[in-house]
Amino acid sequence: MSNKVIHAIYNDDDVLLDAVKKTKAAHHHIEEVYTPFPVHGLDKAMGLASTRLAICAFLYGITGLIIYANLLNYVMILDWPQDIGGKPSFAFYQNMPAFVPVMFEGTVFFAAHLMVITFYMRSKLWPFKKAENPDVRTTDDHFLMEVGVHGNEEELVSFFQNTGAIEVKVIEK
């Protein structure tokens, strides 16, 4: 198995999107695409599965809601009940309207903070990690498609030049 990859560099996002579609139609495996900004439709063109982060956000929010509801029940009803503004403190459901803002904020707090942690872990981003960007121009105005070489190298280079790439390089990984 070869350790070579082709870096096809484009200067237009529409040309890149067409090149990705042509590459997938030719049954070449796209390792990664580096872009300076999100390209609409690129994930579908690459055949990437949809993210499950929304499910995580929902579960984290439910966790925060349960924790804050139990915290309010313990602190305001069981541990130290007080008569605040004439409201009874005998049961949780009697004070529920006063607890809704606190439970909402707890839900948002848990969902937001745990989603950031999940995103960083899933993306393998942590402090002091070196950047994995193969070409610094992809942070400014160029787009790079990385495709593994599994066959005739010259044929792949000419294929990517025909897709509109302004530069095609074969890199040893």
Side-chain angles (χ1 to χ4, degrees), residues 151-166:
N152 189 355
E153 187 177 309
E154 291 81 21
E155 182 182 318
L156 285 172
V157 169
S158 66
F159 172 79
F160 287 112
Q161 287 172 342
N162 291 334
T163 61
I166 60 169

Side-chain angles (χ1 to χ4, degrees), residues 134-168:
D135 193 331
V136 73
R137 294 177 290 176
T138 60
T139 62
D140 188 21
D141 61 349
H142 284 73
F143 306 87
L144 185 140
M145 181 170 31
E146 185 177 272
V147 179
V149 176
H150 303 293
N152 189 355
E153 187 177 309
E154 291 81 21
E155 182 182 318
L156 285 172
V157 169
S158 66
F159 172 79
F160 287 112
Q161 287 172 342
N162 291 334
T163 61
I166 60 169
E167 184 179 327
V168 179

Side-chain angles (χ1 to χ4, degrees), residues 51-60 115:
T51 181
R52 295 184 300 258
L53 286 176
I55 297 168
C56 290
F58 177 74
L59 293 175
Y60 296 154
M115 279 303 296

Side-chain angles (χ1 to χ4, degrees), residues 28-153:
H28 298 300
H29 176 66
I30 299 172
E31 307 256 339
E32 189 66 63
V33 176
Y34 299 91
T35 63
F37 54 84
V39 177
H40 181 69
L42 185 61
D43 52 344
K44 285 187 176 54
M46 288 179 64
L48 298 176
S50 60
T51 181
R52 295 184 300 258
L53 286 176
I55 297 168
C56 290
F58 177 74
L59 293 175
Y60 296 154
I62 292 296
T63 302
L65 179 67
I66 291 169
I67 287 173
Y68 271 73
N70 286 324
L71 176 72
L72 286 170
N73 185 47
Y74 176 74
V75 171
M76 299 300 289
I77 305 300
L78 300 176
D79 185 41
W80 197 348
Q82 297 178 23
D83 185 6
I84 301 173
K87 295 179 182 171
S89 296
F90 303 122
F92 183 80
Y93 71 90
Q94 291 175 323
N95 288 338
M96 180 68 129
F99 295 161
V100 166
V102 177
M103 291 188 302
F104 172 76
E105 292 300 326
T107 301
V108 172
F109 178 83
F110 264 68
H113 286 81
L114 292 176
M115 279 303 296
V116 168
I117 292 169
T118 301
F119 174 75
Y120 283 146
M121 289 175 61
R122 181 72 179 107
S123 301
K124 297 178 182 157
L125 294 173
W126 34 76
F128 310 113
K129 183 175 191 285
K130 293 206 181 239
E132 295 178 2
N133 194 353
D135 193 331
V136 73
R137 294 177 290 176
T138 60
T139 62
D140 188 21
D141 61 349
H142 284 73
F143 306 87
L144 185 140
M145 181 170 31
E146 185 177 272
V147 179
V149 176
H150 303 293
N152 189 355
E153 187 177 309

